[in-house]
């Protein structure tokens, strides 16, 4: 592709802010969607949920700035990780302190693995079929959460509206082009929220009573609370987060072919690990690099990384404005669920592409290695609470985490059950 501005070009100042605004428009809905779901798991008060979104926006601003200037130095947006959302959902019933302590430890471990070079050895375990399972499991194990979001009061009408919104998004994905397609999530959230408020009037996060500018220093850090089961559950999530992070950087490598890619990946994973550790200390979900950045670059024709500091500055301002956070976050749950469903559909598409892009034919072994982990993870994700409570307390966060058990099954199927057959066929 030919770009108006290359990776290290410096567009004029006004264009930097204009391009930064477009990145901001793509980033904020993701922060709101995942932040609303995760914050809702740990806080019932609307005020506490606003503070959670403030802290989350601050972390994403810092992570984005560090990545662009000192980490991978690529035009990749940073957002909260959906795979860590799965870990948080699977750890419901445990103290939030245990969840964020696990996020802190996972971030530190990821940093250590990258600094020592051990991360490169672990990458060998994640073959294309295992990576495909990881991407597919993220989508399938989030379905109970999406179902809960889309079936709240008034029930059937809410669900019907959510399905209509999802179908409309896919129709617009087919018809729109350029920057309109790249910012489809923005328009879906804005339009969906407006229509939903007209059909089902109920404000979920009141913006009127929130201050225009205020800090989020109340409860800035969380107390550490180690729980072996929760930590083990999140370690599986961090393995997937590392694969996701690596895939996003590799996809940008295919597009831009920048020099020193090995060093960029190493530094990028280090920054991801450190900012995840900081997220754990602040009590929010950790960041990851997003591969959807490719669509924004293709739509705008600008691949300059120096447009993203403007986005980070906007996120920083947003993090200190409860009123703006509350206004943007005043999106009905059914719209959050519908947009999240649209997002995880892209995960399914990505997983299928990874699974079969190097295969000229699909074999039975491919279906078995991928099929068992997906079905096992989905079944566990839908297990009733009374069944989960029957598991031993220390093992419950792992055995009740469909994602962790699915990844375990994928690794066993790939490297143990079908390992000899793969070697003989190759």
């Amino acid at each position: 592709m030919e770009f108006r501005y290359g990776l290290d070009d410096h567009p004029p100042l006004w264009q930097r802010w204009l391009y930064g605004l477009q990145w901001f428009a793509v980033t904020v809905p993701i922060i709101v969607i995942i932040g609303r779901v995760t914050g809702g798991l740990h806080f019932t008060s609307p005020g506490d949920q606003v503070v959670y979104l403030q802290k989350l926006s601050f972390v994403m601003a810092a992570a984005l700035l560090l990545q662009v200037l000192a980490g991978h130095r690529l035009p990749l947006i940073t957002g909260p990780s959906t795979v860590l959302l799965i870990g948080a959902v699977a750890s419901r019933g445990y103290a939030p302190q245990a969840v964020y302590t696990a996020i802190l430890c996972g971030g530190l471990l990821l940093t250590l693995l990258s600094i020592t070079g051990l991360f490169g050895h672990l990458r060998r375990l994640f073959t294309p079929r295992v990576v495909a399972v990881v991407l597919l499991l993220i989508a399938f194990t989030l379905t109970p959460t999406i179902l809960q979001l889309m079936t709240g009061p008034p029930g059937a009408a809410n669900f019907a509206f959510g399905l209509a919104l999802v179908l409309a998004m896919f129709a617009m994905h087919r018809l729109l082009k350029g920057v309109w397609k790249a910012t489809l999530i923005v328009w879906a959230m804005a339009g969906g929220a407006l229509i939903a408020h007209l059909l089902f009037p109920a404000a979920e996060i009141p913006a009127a009573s929130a201050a225009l500018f205020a800090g989020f220093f109340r409860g800035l850090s969380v107390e550490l609370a180690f729980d072996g089961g929760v930590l083990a559950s999140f370690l599986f999530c961090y393995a997937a987060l590392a694969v996701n992070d690596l895939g996003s950087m590799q996809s940008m490598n295919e597009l831009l072919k920048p020099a020193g890619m090995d060093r960029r990946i190493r530094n990028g994973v280090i920054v991801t690990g450190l900012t995840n550790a900081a997220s754990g200390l602040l009590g929010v979900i950790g960041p990851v690099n997003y591969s959807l950045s490719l669509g924004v670059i293709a739509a705008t024709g600008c691949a300059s990384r120096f447009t993203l500091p403007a986005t980070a500055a906007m996120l920083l301002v947003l993090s200190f404005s409860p009123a703006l956070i509350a206004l943007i976050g005043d999106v009905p749950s059914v719209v959050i669920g519908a947009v999240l469903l649209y997002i995880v559909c892209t995960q399914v598409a990505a997983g299928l592409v990874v699974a079969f892009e190097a295969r000229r034919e699909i074999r039975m072994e491919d279906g078995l290695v991928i099929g068992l982990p997906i079905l096992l993870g989905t079944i566990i994700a839908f297990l009733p609470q009374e069944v989960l409570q029957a598991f031993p307390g220390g093992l419950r966060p792992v055995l009740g985490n469909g994602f962790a058990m699915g990844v375990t099954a994928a690794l066993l199927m790939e490297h143990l059950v079908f390992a000899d057959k793969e070697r003989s066929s190759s």
Side-chain angles (χ1 to χ4, degrees), residues 86-101:
I86 293 172
V89 170
S91 302
R92 279 182 296 188
Y94 289 81
Q97 293 87 343
V99 171
Y100 295 114
T101 300

Side-chain angles (χ1 to χ4, degrees), residues 23 25-38 56 60 63-64 67-68 72 74-86 135 138 142 182 185 240-253 255-256 268 272 276 285-297 308 315 339-340 342-344 346-347 350:
W23 287 109
V26 174
T27 307
V28 167
I30 300 171
I31 294 174
V32 170
I33 291 167
I34 299 179
R36 278 282 306 278
V37 177
T38 313
L56 190 62
M60 298 307 146
L64 178 60
Q67 288 286 17
V68 171
H72 52 57
L74 296 169
L76 283 167
I77 60 172
T78 301
S81 170
T82 53
V83 73
L84 295 185
L85 168 60
I86 293 172
L135 293 171
I138 292 173
L142 275 177
I185 293 176
L241 182 146
V243 171
N244 193 351
D245 210 47
L246 175 65
S248 298
M249 289 183 274
Q250 290 281 28
S251 66
M252 196 60 66
N253 179 42
L255 182 68
L256 302 179
T272 298
N276 269 268
I285 201 166
V288 71
N289 291 297
Y290 274 57
S291 58
L292 58 83
S293 308
L294 293 171
V296 180
I297 292 174
L308 287 164
L315 288 173
V339 175
L340 190 56
Y342 172 82
I343 291 173
V344 298
T346 65
Q347 291 279 146

Side-chain angles (χ1 to χ4, degrees), residues 102-325:
I103 290 176
L104 166 65
C105 294
L108 291 176
L109 180 60
L110 184 60
T111 304
L112 181 63
L113 290 175
S114 186
I115 291 175
T116 58
L118 293 175
F119 178 65
H121 297 289
L122 293 177
R123 283 167 54 185
R124 298 172 187 169
L125 294 174
F126 289 85
T127 62
R129 293 194 301 203
V130 176
V131 172
V133 169
V134 167
L135 293 171
L136 292 168
L137 276 171
I138 292 173
F140 281 86
T141 53
L142 275 177
T143 50
T145 302
I146 295 172
L147 183 64
Q148 184 178 4
L149 290 169
M150 293 179 63
T151 54
N158 227 24
F159 186 67
F161 173 77
L163 288 181
L165 180 58
V166 172
L167 292 175
M169 290 185 71
F170 277 105
M172 292 299 101
H173 177 88
R174 176 71 175 84
L175 297 174
L176 295 177
K177 298 183 183 299
V179 70
W180 298 102
K181 185 174 183 177
T183 55
L184 173 59
I185 293 176
V186 180
W187 313 121
M189 285 187 63
L194 178 62
I195 297 172
H197 277 307
L198 293 175
L199 294 177
F200 321 111
E204 300 199 3
I205 299 182
S209 59
L212 182 59
F213 289 103
F216 45 82
F217 306 109
R218 172 169 55 91
L220 184 60
S221 61
V222 297
E223 297 178 2
L224 298 182
F226 290 93
D227 185 291
V230 174
L231 179 58
S233 174
F234 269 91
L235 291 182
F236 283 94
C237 295
Y238 268 99
L241 182 146
V243 171
N244 193 351
D245 210 47
L246 175 65
S248 298
M249 289 183 274
Q250 290 281 28
S251 66
M252 196 60 66
N253 179 42
E254 295 298 321
L255 182 68
L256 302 179
K257 300 291 191 296
M261 195 60 199
D262 288 341
R263 185 179 70 257
R264 291 176 187 272
I265 289 176
R266 179 174 175 272
N267 292 342
V269 175
I270 289 173
V271 171
T272 298
L274 289 175
T275 49
N276 269 268
S279 299
L281 285 174
L282 292 173
V284 294
I285 201 166
V288 71
N289 291 297
Y290 274 57
S291 58
L292 58 83
S293 308
L294 293 171
V296 180
I297 292 174
T300 61
C302 177
S304 172
R305 62 189 174 100
F306 293 106
T307 60
L308 287 164
T311 306
M314 295 176 195
L315 288 173
L316 187 63
V317 171
L318 180 66
S319 70
F320 284 95
S321 178
L324 287 177
I325 287 281

